[in-house]
PDB file of all heavy atoms in Angstrom:
ATOM      1  N   LEU A 112     -26.292  25.747  35.622  1.00 95.00           N
ATOM      2  CA  LEU A 112     -26.291  26.696  36.723  1.00 95.00           C
ATOM      3  C   LEU A 112     -27.656  27.363  36.822  1.00 95.00           C
ATOM      4  O   LEU A 112     -28.103  27.669  37.920  1.00 95.00           O
ATOM      5  CB  LEU A 112     -25.160  27.760  36.449  1.00 95.00           C
ATOM      6  CG  LEU A 112     -23.754  27.257  36.790  1.00 95.00           C
ATOM      7  CD1 LEU A 112     -22.740  28.262  36.275  1.00 95.00           C
ATOM      8  CD2 LEU A 112     -23.599  27.119  38.272  1.00 95.00           C
ATOM      9  N   MET A 113     -28.207  27.763  35.699  1.00 94.00           N
ATOM     10  CA  MET A 113     -29.534  28.427  35.737  1.00 94.00           C
ATOM     11  C   MET A 113     -30.604  27.515  36.331  1.00 94.00           C
ATOM     12  O   MET A 113     -31.447  27.950  37.078  1.00 94.00           O
ATOM     13  CB  MET A 113     -29.931  28.833  34.291  1.00 94.00           C
ATOM     14  CG  MET A 113     -29.134  29.974  33.725  1.00 94.00           C
ATOM     15  SD  MET A 113     -29.322  30.243  31.970  1.00 94.00           S
ATOM     16  CE  MET A 113     -31.052  30.701  31.899  1.00 94.00           C
ATOM     17  N   CYS A 114     -30.547  26.225  35.975  1.00 93.00           N
ATOM     18  CA  CYS A 114     -31.434  25.251  36.627  1.00 93.00           C
ATOM     19  C   CYS A 114     -31.255  25.210  38.123  1.00 93.00           C
ATOM     20  O   CYS A 114     -32.232  25.220  38.881  1.00 93.00           O
ATOM     21  CB  CYS A 114     -31.270  23.853  36.042  1.00 93.00           C
ATOM     22  SG  CYS A 114     -31.789  23.670  34.331  1.00 93.00           S
ATOM     23  N   ALA A 115     -30.025  25.088  38.601  1.00 94.00           N
ATOM     24  CA  ALA A 115     -29.715  25.069  39.991  1.00 94.00           C
ATOM     25  C   ALA A 115     -30.208  26.318  40.719  1.00 94.00           C
ATOM     26  O   ALA A 115     -30.825  26.224  41.790  1.00 94.00           O
ATOM     27  CB  ALA A 115     -28.219  24.855  40.238  1.00 94.00           C
ATOM     28  N   ALA A 116     -29.977  27.480  40.139  1.00 94.00           N
ATOM     29  CA  ALA A 116     -30.492  28.726  40.744  1.00 94.00           C
ATOM     30  C   ALA A 116     -31.948  28.774  40.775  1.00 94.00           C
ATOM     31  O   ALA A 116     -32.552  29.309  41.722  1.00 94.00           O
ATOM     32  CB  ALA A 116     -29.882  29.918  39.958  1.00 94.00           C
ATOM     33  N   SER A 117     -32.638  28.213  39.796  1.00 91.00           N
ATOM     34  CA  SER A 117     -34.027  28.288  39.715  1.00 91.00           C
ATOM     35  C   SER A 117     -34.758  27.503  40.797  1.00 91.00           C
ATOM     36  O   SER A 117     -35.815  27.869  41.212  1.00 91.00           O
ATOM     37  CB  SER A 117     -34.516  27.762  38.314  1.00 91.00           C
ATOM     38  OG  SER A 117     -34.074  28.618  37.266  1.00 91.00           O
ATOM     39  N   VAL A 118     -34.107  26.418  41.235  1.00 91.00           N
ATOM     40  CA  VAL A 118     -34.770  25.577  42.291  1.00 91.00           C
ATOM     41  C   VAL A 118     -34.156  25.825  43.651  1.00 91.00           C
ATOM     42  O   VAL A 118     -34.667  25.269  44.613  1.00 91.00           O
ATOM     43  CB  VAL A 118     -34.663  24.104  41.919  1.00 91.00           C
ATOM     44  CG1 VAL A 118     -35.397  23.788  40.644  1.00 91.00           C
ATOM     45  CG2 VAL A 118     -33.212  23.628  41.859  1.00 91.00           C
ATOM     46  N   SER A 119     -33.135  26.693  43.681  1.00 92.00           N
ATOM     47  CA  SER A 119     -32.526  26.930  44.990  1.00 92.00           C
ATOM     48  C   SER A 119     -33.344  27.927  45.845  1.00 92.00           C
ATOM     49  O   SER A 119     -33.832  28.889  45.305  1.00 92.00           O
ATOM     50  CB  SER A 119     -31.102  27.520  44.794  1.00 92.00           C
ATOM     51  OG  SER A 119     -30.583  27.932  46.024  1.00 92.00           O
ATOM     52  N   PRO A 120     -33.438  27.653  47.144  1.00 89.00           N
ATOM     53  CA  PRO A 120     -34.131  28.664  47.981  1.00 89.00           C
ATOM     54  C   PRO A 120     -33.295  29.969  48.101  1.00 89.00           C
ATOM     55  O   PRO A 120     -33.809  31.001  48.517  1.00 89.00           O
ATOM     56  CB  PRO A 120     -34.252  27.994  49.345  1.00 89.00           C
ATOM     57  CG  PRO A 120     -33.490  26.697  49.308  1.00 89.00           C
ATOM     58  CD  PRO A 120     -33.096  26.460  47.860  1.00 89.00           C
ATOM     59  N   ARG A 121     -31.999  29.860  47.749  1.00 91.00           N
ATOM     60  CA  ARG A 121     -31.092  31.076  47.819  1.00 91.00           C
ATOM     61  C   ARG A 121     -30.426  31.224  46.442  1.00 91.00           C
ATOM     62  O   ARG A 121     -29.245  30.920  46.284  1.00 91.00           O
ATOM     63  CB  ARG A 121     -30.064  30.879  48.891  1.00 91.00           C
ATOM     64  CG  ARG A 121     -30.713  30.825  50.310  1.00 91.00           C
ATOM     65  CD  ARG A 121     -29.645  30.776  51.388  1.00 91.00           C
ATOM     66  NE  ARG A 121     -28.442  31.507  51.119  1.00 91.00           N
ATOM     67  CZ  ARG A 121     -27.191  31.141  51.366  1.00 91.00           C
ATOM     68  NH1 ARG A 121     -27.034  29.998  51.958  1.00 91.00           N
ATOM     69  NH2 ARG A 121     -26.177  31.909  51.114  1.00 91.00           N
ATOM     70  N   PRO A 122     -31.178  31.676  45.431  1.00 93.00           N
ATOM     71  CA  PRO A 122     -30.643  31.731  44.092  1.00 93.00           C
ATOM     72  C   PRO A 122     -29.461  32.717  43.922  1.00 93.00           C
ATOM     73  O   PRO A 122     -28.652  32.601  43.044  1.00 93.00           O
ATOM     74  CB  PRO A 122     -31.811  32.144  43.239  1.00 93.00           C
ATOM     75  CG  PRO A 122     -32.718  32.863  44.146  1.00 93.00           C
ATOM     76  CD  PRO A 122     -32.583  32.192  45.469  1.00 93.00           C
ATOM     77  N   HIS A 123     -29.362  33.693  44.807  1.00 93.00           N
ATOM     78  CA  HIS A 123     -28.347  34.739  44.696  1.00 93.00           C
ATOM     79  C   HIS A 123     -26.910  34.109  44.849  1.00 93.00           C
ATOM     80  O   HIS A 123     -25.989  34.664  44.343  1.00 93.00           O
ATOM     81  CB  HIS A 123     -28.539  35.843  45.717  1.00 93.00           C
ATOM     82  CG  HIS A 123     -29.724  36.673  45.358  1.00 93.00           C
ATOM     83  ND1 HIS A 123     -31.002  36.325  45.730  1.00 93.00           N
ATOM     84  CD2 HIS A 123     -29.816  37.844  44.660  1.00 93.00           C
ATOM     85  CE1 HIS A 123     -31.830  37.260  45.328  1.00 93.00           C
ATOM     86  NE2 HIS A 123     -31.127  38.145  44.648  1.00 93.00           N
ATOM     87  N   VAL A 124     -26.834  32.927  45.460  1.00 95.00           N
ATOM     88  CA  VAL A 124     -25.580  32.242  45.605  1.00 95.00           C
ATOM     89  C   VAL A 124     -24.997  31.883  44.220  1.00 95.00           C
ATOM     90  O   VAL A 124     -23.822  31.790  44.015  1.00 95.00           O
ATOM     91  CB  VAL A 124     -25.759  30.965  46.462  1.00 95.00           C
ATOM     92  CG1 VAL A 124     -24.508  30.052  46.470  1.00 95.00           C
ATOM     93  CG2 VAL A 124     -26.200  31.307  47.883  1.00 95.00           C
ATOM     94  N   PHE A 125     -25.901  31.711  43.256  1.00 96.00           N
ATOM     95  CA  PHE A 125     -25.514  31.339  41.934  1.00 96.00           C
ATOM     96  C   PHE A 125     -25.257  32.513  40.933  1.00 96.00           C
ATOM     97  O   PHE A 125     -24.828  32.297  39.828  1.00 96.00           O
ATOM     98  CB  PHE A 125     -26.574  30.414  41.300  1.00 96.00           C
ATOM     99  CG  PHE A 125     -26.716  29.073  41.949  1.00 96.00           C
ATOM    100  CD1 PHE A 125     -27.588  28.906  43.013  1.00 96.00           C
ATOM    101  CD2 PHE A 125     -25.904  28.034  41.589  1.00 96.00           C
ATOM    102  CE1 PHE A 125     -27.666  27.669  43.621  1.00 96.00           C
ATOM    103  CE2 PHE A 125     -26.008  26.794  42.186  1.00 96.00           C
ATOM    104  CZ  PHE A 125     -26.913  26.603  43.256  1.00 96.00           C
TER     105      PHE A 125
END
Side-chain angles (χ1 to χ4, degrees):
L112 282 169
M113 291 167 64
C114 289
S117 296
V118 297
S119 172
R121 295 182 39 218
H123 290 85
V124 172
F125 292 92

